[in-house]
Amino acid sequence: MDNERKQEFTRRITNANKTELVVILFDMCFDYLDEVQDYCKKKDIENLKEAVRKGQQVIRRLEDDLNFEYKLSYDLMSLYAFAEKELVKCLIDLKEVHALDVKKILAPIREGFSEVAKADTTGPMMNNAET
């Protein structure tokens, strides 16, 4: 992820409410998945390792944010665990199809959170953030 993209995520985070933060995490994950695909194609093992690690960190953050008072959280946890395993498979066989599978799994979940974020009227999590 280049510095410009990092700055964009930082700007979005400073203005985001709780639900929007989850959507941002998905967007970050998709950026790392794009990198995983690219490095698989190039057979660039070192950068692939780093992209997989960062993608897994984002997925773990999504896992950490689950609220297990809701049954849906258990289903999401299973999907996130599967996504993490698929990323490891990218390292094992250098096939980008595993990253594509992760995208297919996470895209509808991201879309659901995006719809919920539209209805979330709570304010930004960060007060007094720089404009």
Side-chain angles (χ1 to χ4, degrees):
M1 184 181 308
D2 63 16
N3 285 335
E4 185 177 321
R5 191 73 172 136
K6 288 178 185 177
Q7 287 178 337
E8 180 185 335
F9 281 124
T10 301
R11 180 191 52 76
R12 287 177 61 195
I13 288 168
T14 59
N15 295 310
N17 62 33
K18 289 179 184 181
T19 313
E20 290 167 337
L21 284 173
V22 175
V23 175
I24 294 167
L25 284 172
F26 278 103
D27 291 344
M28 291 172 70
C29 187
F30 288 132
D31 274 16
Y32 291 126
L33 290 171
D34 288 342
E35 288 181 7
V36 167
Q37 286 178 265
D38 186 45
Y39 295 134
C40 279
K41 287 179 193 173
K42 294 176 182 177
K43 308 289 190 229
D44 182 345
I45 305 297
E46 289 308 309
N47 284 318
L48 176 61
K49 286 180 186 177
E50 184 66 12
V52 165
R53 185 183 66 76
K54 288 180 178 180
Q56 287 178 320
Q57 283 179 328
V58 174
I59 293 170
R60 283 189 204 109
R61 177 58 200 220
L62 289 166
E63 290 172 342
D64 290 344
D65 290 342
L66 290 172
N67 181 347
F68 288 100
E69 292 178 17
Y70 301 97
K71 183 184 179 316
L72 177 62
S73 292
Y74 294 94
D75 297 331
L76 290 173
M77 179 62 109
S78 295
L79 292 172
Y80 295 156
F82 178 79
E84 286 183 88
K85 289 176 189 175
E86 286 300 296
L87 283 175
V88 171
K89 289 180 183 178
C90 290
L91 286 171
I92 294 169
D93 61 17
L94 299 177
K95 291 185 180 172
E96 64 190 85
V97 68
H98 303 297
L100 287 169
D101 289 343
V102 173
K103 284 182 179 180
K104 287 178 189 174
I105 290 166
L106 296 182
I109 301 168
R110 185 227 178 261
E111 191 58 36
F113 276 105
S114 181
E115 289 300 315
V116 171
K118 291 175 186 175
D120 188 345
T121 58
T122 60
M125 293 291 297
M126 298 178 84
N127 295 322
N128 300 323
E130 291 183 32
T131 55

